[in-house]
Amino acid sequence: MSTKINYAKILGVESVAPAAVFAVAYLPLFVWFVRQSIGRPTYVFIKSVVFMPRLIEAYVVRIAAFTIRAVLAGSESAGENLSLYIADSVLFGVGFFALLYSAYTLVLDRWSLLDAPPERGVLRLTQNRTIFKVIMLAAVVLGIIGSSKASSSDPQNGKVYRMASSIIFLVLTAVLAAHTIRLALTEGKKTSSIDTYT
């Protein structure tokens, strides 16, 4: 008699509530984003038309990923379905990739509109889109490898790969947050200096 393996529980997908809450939360945000993009096209939205398909795709992927995660956590038979588990892992990696990269390029494009001096050192390196994309791709690949290893006879290494993937995404999110804060501060200074002259 073969023993069934619950892949979702091996890697910690046990609670339905968080996944269901996020799936439900993303849906109105998605509807609001589409409505705002169509109904109130401001300069930022017009400028980000290039990113809109990517953002819409990211929202749809995230809603699907959280829905699958809720099903995996809530159903014993779904948790034992390797294909569904791998689909969940891939959708989470790819979905976050799309959201993070869209936000990153939007911040860099806004930065390029400012008449600020070019960055030096590490900040300049973190503004290199190719490097950022390659590092994100490595995080996605590590997540997929982790999911594959978790489903084989090596679940412990699977957790290690997935943890490495999560840490890389966390560091990249921190880089994006630093650029966003710096952009906001720089734009705030420019706005206050313009107000001073008028």
Side-chain angles (χ1 to χ4, degrees), residues 65-99:
F66 281 119
T67 303
I68 290 172
R69 173 118 342 149
V71 169
L72 283 170
S75 168
E76 195 71 31
S77 62
E80 294 167 355
N81 185 334
L82 178 59
S83 299
L84 190 60
Y85 176 72
I86 290 175
D88 171 68
S89 297
V90 170
L91 285 175
F92 263 95
V94 171
F96 194 70
F97 180 103
L99 282 176

Side-chain angles (χ1 to χ4, degrees), residues 17-82:
V21 165
F22 279 109
V24 169
Y26 265 93
L27 194 56
L29 289 173
F30 171 69
V31 171
W32 177 83
F33 174 75
V34 171
R35 194 178 127 256
Q36 289 291 98
S37 298
I38 294 168
R40 302 174 95 197
T42 62
Y43 176 75
V44 173
F45 283 120
I46 290 170
K47 191 78 175 141
S48 67
V49 162
V50 174
F51 306 113
M52 198 157 116
R54 216 180 298 162
L55 285 172
I56 289 173
E57 172 191 317
Y59 274 113
V60 171
V61 166
R62 296 303 278 179
I63 291 168
F66 281 119
T67 303
I68 290 172
R69 173 118 342 149
V71 169
L72 283 170
S75 168
E76 195 71 31
S77 62
E80 294 167 355
N81 185 334
L82 178 59

